Amino acid sequence: MKSFMLTRKVCGLCCVYEFCLLCNLLDDGAVRLWRNYTSETREVFTAWKALSDMLPSTKGSGLVLQWEQQSGLLFASGDVKHILVWDSEKEMKVQEIATGADSCVTSLATDEAGRSLLVAGCGDGSVRLFDRRSPSGECVFSSHVMTLKEHKSWIVKVFVQTGRDGKIVSGSIDGQVKQWDPRFSESVKTTPTSPMMSALDVHPKANIFASGSPQQFIKVYNLSGQSLSTIRYHDGFMGQRIGPISCLAFHPYKAFLAAGSTDSYLSIYTLEKQKK
């Protein structure tokens, strides 16, 4: 395991696989791309200020980051009323999209199937869809832009399935996970999970999702709404109870689930049996 110290709080991380870079977003709005980040010769490949006009808030989302691998675009938002789109190679802002919301942006997701779809989850429970082909880049309420309003609380995560028929998956802090057809404003399925949800992730290839709770458990469901498993304890004869879940992440291809908790544990779960 490699680690190194930064002078600012890290608010987001993502891997740029094509160029073997690590991208991190700091709490001052700066973005840094690191080269050779697993060795002692690591260096900052490029850096720029992604956000500079954060709104003061007692309960905000901080900074929210989304990387689009195919285009090399970086999407940044958070406690602001817009979404900035950056060309990471040119370090240039290429689009600014007004959210039209009075609350912060809590999650971002993009569609890599050629539909130019951008989805933003917000603190007021709304899920907002944007067509990035709009000439002005502004949030214009038309047939290409809509607001989904069935959630009644803070959006924990939004996700866009791959493929032209891929659905939008969203989850709110009250445990409601909804699936949407991007063409319609009403959800096609709702799956109730735990009453308090602190983390959510959807597997990019398998039709499953996982929800984490501050009440110290993780539940895994399929997209049909069937509960597949519940994780409450660490492995071993004296396995202790897992801590309150703060984040979840599936492997992009394999059946691995990483879970972080507030007791400083990072756990990785798999369907495969480990060799003794």
Side-chain angles (χ1 to χ4, degrees), residues 22-43:
L22 178 69
C23 175
N24 71 277
L25 183 63
L26 305 180
D27 64 350
D28 61 353
V31 172
R32 295 179 184 174
L33 270 72
W34 295 82
R35 182 163 44 193
N36 302 324
Y37 55 88
T38 60
S39 70
E40 296 299 327
T41 60
R42 60 183 172 269
E43 60 179 342

Side-chain angles (χ1 to χ4, degrees), residues 13-170:
L13 285 172
C14 61
C15 288
V16 184
Y17 302 108
E18 183 179 358
F19 302 104
C20 296
L21 301 174
L22 178 69
C23 175
N24 71 277
L25 183 63
L26 305 180
D27 64 350
D28 61 353
V31 172
R32 295 179 184 174
L33 270 72
W34 295 82
R35 182 163 44 193
N36 302 324
Y37 55 88
T38 60
S39 70
E40 296 299 327
T41 60
R42 60 183 172 269
E43 60 179 342
V44 176
F45 175 69
T46 185
W48 70 92
K49 195 84 165 181
L51 288 176
S52 59
D53 51 350
M54 303 288 288
L55 297 174
S57 174
T58 55
K59 182 187 178 183
S61 58
L63 299 172
V64 178
L65 179 70
Q66 172 69 18
W67 171 261
E68 191 174 72
Q69 183 68 34
Q70 291 183 350
S71 64
L73 295 178
L74 184 73
F75 299 79
S77 190
D79 294 326
V80 291
K81 294 187 177 181
H82 53 261
I83 302 166
L84 297 183
V85 186
W86 294 87
D87 185 320
S88 58
E89 183 177 355
K90 298 179 181 178
E91 301 178 29
M92 182 177 69
K93 184 177 72 173
V94 296
Q95 199 171 25
E96 181 173 335
I97 303 172
T99 62
D102 293 328
S103 62
C104 59
V105 173
T106 60
S107 179
L108 290 171
T110 58
D111 168 43
E112 299 192 11
R115 291 181 295 184
S116 298
L117 181 64
L118 170 63
V119 181
C122 299
D124 60 1
S126 65
V127 177
R128 297 171 182 261
L129 279 59
F130 306 93
D131 184 352
R132 287 150 47 195
R133 294 170 296 184
S134 174
S136 65
E138 295 296 326
C139 175
V140 180
F141 291 93
S142 66
S143 59
H144 296 124
V145 180
M146 70 175 75
T147 301
L148 312 176
K149 297 183 177 180
E150 291 186 13
H151 286 290
K152 303 302 180 184
S153 59
W154 183 283
I155 299 297
V156 175
K157 173 88 173 182
V158 290
F159 178 84
V160 182
Q161 292 179 304
T162 57
R164 292 193 173 274
D165 297 325
K167 293 182 174 62
I168 298 169
V169 182
S170 61

